[in-house]
């Protein structure tokens, strides 16, 4: 879809900012990825959410249990059960101290 600039969804604006930073060879922060993941969740963009998680892994950013939980809820809302199970397995493989109590 093409959106006029003033009516673009927040997830699309966030993605454009990250692409611009990538193109300018500027660094990303974990907070940037966390924010994009939140916007994907809010706007039901599960495919992009999974790409964000993959990019976080590639950059060795820690993914906390809250972000994994966002993904699980997002995949469940979209009936992506197999992907949800894969994400759950990934969460347990990469869990940090915050995820242990789940």
């Amino acid at each position: 879809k093409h959106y006029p600039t003033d009516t673009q969804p927040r997830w699309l604006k966030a993605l454009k900012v990250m692409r611009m930073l990538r193109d300018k060879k500027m660094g990303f922060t974990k907070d940037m990825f966390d924010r994009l993941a939140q916007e994907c969740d809010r706007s039901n963009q599960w495919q992009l959410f999974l790409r964000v998680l993959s990019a976080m892994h590639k950059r060795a950013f820690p993914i906390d249990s809250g972000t994994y939980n966002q993904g699980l809820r997002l995949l469940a809302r979209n009936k992506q059960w197999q992907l949800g199970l894969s994400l759950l397995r990934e969460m347990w493989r990469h869990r940090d101290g915050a995820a242990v109590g789940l």
Side-chain angles (χ1 to χ4, degrees):
K1 281 185 176 179
H2 175 72
Y3 298 95
T5 304
D6 57 336
T7 62
Q8 289 178 346
R10 289 170 33 171
W11 68 267
L12 185 55
K13 290 178 185 177
L15 182 61
K16 285 183 176 185
V17 167
M18 293 191 76
R19 284 182 177 158
M20 179 193 67
L21 291 172
R22 179 198 62 201
D23 292 346
K24 292 184 178 192
K25 307 275 191 246
M26 298 177 79
F28 296 115
T29 67
K30 180 184 178 321
D31 289 338
M32 290 175 175
F33 280 104
D34 286 341
R35 186 60 183 245
L36 182 55
Q38 288 172 353
E39 294 304 330
C40 292
D41 181 28
R42 286 185 184 132
S43 58
N44 215 30
Q45 298 291 322
W46 65 267
Q47 297 99 331
L48 181 57
F49 186 96
L50 294 176
R51 288 178 43 206
V52 169
L53 288 184
S54 176
M56 290 177 79
H57 279 300
K58 287 179 186 174
R59 288 168 176 80
F61 287 131
I63 300 173
D64 60 31
S65 60
T67 302
Y68 277 117
N69 286 333
Q70 274 182 325
L72 291 171
R73 284 191 308 270
L74 181 58
L75 292 170
R77 276 197 314 264
N78 287 280
K79 297 178 177 50
Q80 298 297 317
W81 311 118
Q82 291 300 322
L83 290 172
L85 289 172
S86 294
L87 185 59
L88 187 59
R89 282 190 291 274
E90 178 184 317
M91 180 178 86
W92 286 107
R93 269 196 314 270
H94 299 285
R95 69 179 177 233
D96 56 25
V100 172
L102 292 178

